[in-house]
Amino acid sequence: LPVVDASAMARLLTLRQIVDHLADELGEPAAPADSAEPARIDQGPGPELGRLVTEAVESSGSGAGALAGLGGRVAVTDDGGGVGAALVDVLTGHGLDAELVGELTGNGYAGVVFLGGLRALTDVTDAAAVNTEAFRAARAAGSTSESFVTVSDLGGSFGRDDLDPTRAWTSGLTGLVRTAALEWPATRVQAIDIQRAARGPQDVARAIGDELLRGGQEIEVGIRADGTRLTLSSVPARVDGGAMPLGPDDVIVASGGGRGVTAATMVELARATRARFVLLGRSPLDPEPAVCAGAADDVALKRALLDDATAHGRTVTPAELGRQVRAILANREIRQTLEQIEAAGGQARYLAVDVTDADAVAQALQRVRQEVGPITGVVHGAGVLADRRIVDKTDAQFDTVFRTKVQGLRSLLAATAADELRLLCVFSSVAARTGNEGQADYAMANEVLNKVAVAERTRRGPGCIVKSFAWGPWSGGMVDDALAQRFRSMGVALLPLDVGAAMFVAEIASPQVDQVEVMIGSATLGAPAAASRGA
C-alpha cells in the first residue's frame, strides 16, 4: 500500500471511501514483474549506482548461537538420514526440550530447525521441492517462534565452491531466512550451510549443534568439514572492459523479453551484437481492435472499448475493461520491442509460450532452430509477484511466483541441453541477497537461480558465459513516483533503464567470466538487513 496522509484518512467514514481513496493513490493494479510498463522516473541527485559481488569470509562467531538460552520446545524436522535424530540427542544433552518431527504443522514451538536441505535427493524435482517444504515450515512456525533455522548442504560456503549441481536447486532456503529476518525482527533466524562431505550423521549433528548453541547469530553461516566457519560479505567490484563475444550469427532466446526490463536489455544487446532474438512471453500477440486506433493511453482505450460495447448493446464490467486494456497495452509494448530490436540492427520475433510448460518450451525452441537457426544464447528474465508476508502467503501464491522463475529456468535448460550455448543469463534480484518483506517466494526463487547459474558455469566450462544478474530496483516497471521517493529516502538509488541495459551488455563483454553472481544497482544494496543479531 502507498504511504497515506493520516489526516486525510481520518476524514473517510466508510469502507468504500477508504477503498476508493487507496485506489486513487495506487493507480492501476501492478503488472507482473516481467511485463511492467517501463515508465521512466527522474533519477535526480542521490546515491551512486554500483556493482557488487559476494564473498565468503571466515568468522569466529560470538559464542552464543541461535538456540542459546531458548526456553520451550524445539522442533527438529526429520532429514530422513539420521542427522535429525542425532541433533535431537545433542540438543537434549544440553538441556533443551527438543523433539524430532515430520512436517511442521503448528506454531507451538519456541524454536524450529529445518533440516530438509540435508535430505537425500533423487533428482532436481526432489531438490526444488525442499524450498516449498521450508516455506511451509516457516509459515507454520510463524513470527511467534523465538528462533527459526534452516540447514542446507551447499558445500559449507553457500555455493561459493564445491557445489553439487542437484543441490543447487535447494538453495532458496537462504532467501527465505533473509526475508524472515525482516518480517520477524524479534525472532532469531539463521541459515546454516554445512559441508557434509563423507561424515556420518552424528558428526554432522554435533557440528550443527555446536553452531546453534555456541556459534553466533549471523543470519547466514557456512561450516566447512574442517571446521572453518564462514559468513558472506558483499563487496564493490568494478567490471573490466572487453570485446563483445557475440555477433550477427548468434540466436538469443529470452523469456519475458517482450516487455519491461528484459526488453530494454535485449534492445541494447541487439545494438551491440546485431544478433537474432526470439522473445518468449505469456501474452498472445493478437490483432488490436479497430476501434482502438488512435487511442493512445489507458483512459482513451477504455472510452473507445466502452463506447463500442454500448453501441453493440453489450455490457462490460470495469474488470473486463481493465483486462482488455492491459492486453492491448502489452501487445503494443511487445511490438515496440520488436521494432526497437530491428532498428538497433538485430532481427526479432515473438513466440507466446508458458515458460513453466517444459513440453511447450521444447516445441517452441525446436521451431526456433528450424526457422531461425541454432540457439547459442538463453536469457531467463520472466517473473511475477504475489506479495504477502510469510504467515499470510498461500501455497498457490508461493507456487505461482516460485515456478515462474525456477520451473521456467528448468524448462529452458532442458530444452537447450543439446545446444552449444555461448551465453546463459538469468535475471535474479537483490531480494535474493537481502530478503524483502512480502517476497519470500521471490527471494527464494532468485537465490535458486543464482546458485544454479554457478553450477552451470562449472558444468559448461569456459566456452559459455554464464551470469546471474541480481538487479536492484529499476526506475521503471512497478516503481511509481511514490515508491521512487521511498527508495530515495532510504538511500537506495534507482537504476535507469538505459544505464542498466548498458551495464548488462558490459558484463557480458567483460573477461571476468568467473564472477557469475553480480549485483547491479544502488551501492547501498547487497547485505541482509540484519547482518547479525544480539541475544
Side-chain angles (χ1 to χ4, degrees), residues 34 255-256 280-284 350-362 364 380 382 384 400 403-405 407-408 411-412:
D34 63 330
S255 71
L280 309 181
R282 292 167 301 171
S283 303
Y350 177 84
L351 294 178
V353 61
D354 180 357
V355 74
T356 67
D357 186 334
D359 291 338
V361 171
H380 180 38
V384 295
T400 296
R403 276 181 55 81
T404 301
K405 284 283 186 182
Q407 180 57 41
S411 298
L412 290 167

Side-chain angles (χ1 to χ4, degrees), residues 126-215:
D126 197 25
V130 170
N131 298 282
T132 304
E133 295 171 16
F135 165 74
R136 288 174 177 166
R139 185 178 58 193
S143 57
T144 58
S145 295
E146 298 176 41
S147 180
F148 180 79
V149 179
T150 65
V151 184
S152 60
D153 179 9
L154 302 174
S157 60
F158 294 97
R160 310 308 302 170
D161 49 30
D162 192 28
L163 177 60
D164 179 88
T166 300
R167 290 201 171 273
W169 296 87
T170 71
S171 55
L173 274 59
T174 49
L176 171 63
V177 168
R178 290 162 183 161
T179 298
L182 298 173
E183 295 186 11
W184 308 339
T187 302
R188 288 178 282 179
V189 298
Q190 190 173 60
I192 298 174
D193 178 34
I194 189 162
Q195 184 181 29
R196 185 162 186 171
R199 292 183 290 174
Q202 287 74 23
D203 288 340
V204 175
R206 279 192 291 269
I208 296 171
D210 188 61
E211 175 60 38
L212 292 174
L213 296 168
R214 294 180 293 272

Side-chain angles (χ1 to χ4, degrees), residues 380-466:
H380 180 38
V384 295
L385 296 175
D387 289 8
R388 293 290 188 280
R389 289 177 175 267
I390 293 169
V391 296
D392 299 322
K393 194 180 292 283
T394 66
D395 287 350
Q397 290 165 342
F398 177 91
D399 190 60
T400 296
V401 174
F402 191 81
R403 276 181 55 81
T404 301
K405 284 283 186 182
V406 175
Q407 180 57 41
L409 179 58
R410 286 189 65 187
S411 298
L412 290 167
L413 292 179
T416 57
D419 294 296
E420 295 185 8
L421 297 185
R422 302 177 62 201
L423 176 71
L424 173 60
C425 291
V426 296
F427 279 18
S428 176
S429 167
V430 73
R433 175 76 186 109
T434 64
N436 200 20
E437 291 187 61
Q439 294 185 352
D441 42 14
Y442 194 64
M444 294 172 72
N446 282 304
E447 184 68 353
V448 171
L449 263 58
N450 290 341
K451 296 305 180 283
V452 171
V454 171
E456 286 293 310
R457 169 72 177 90
T458 301
R459 186 177 74 84
R460 293 178 182 275
C464 181
I465 298 168
V466 182

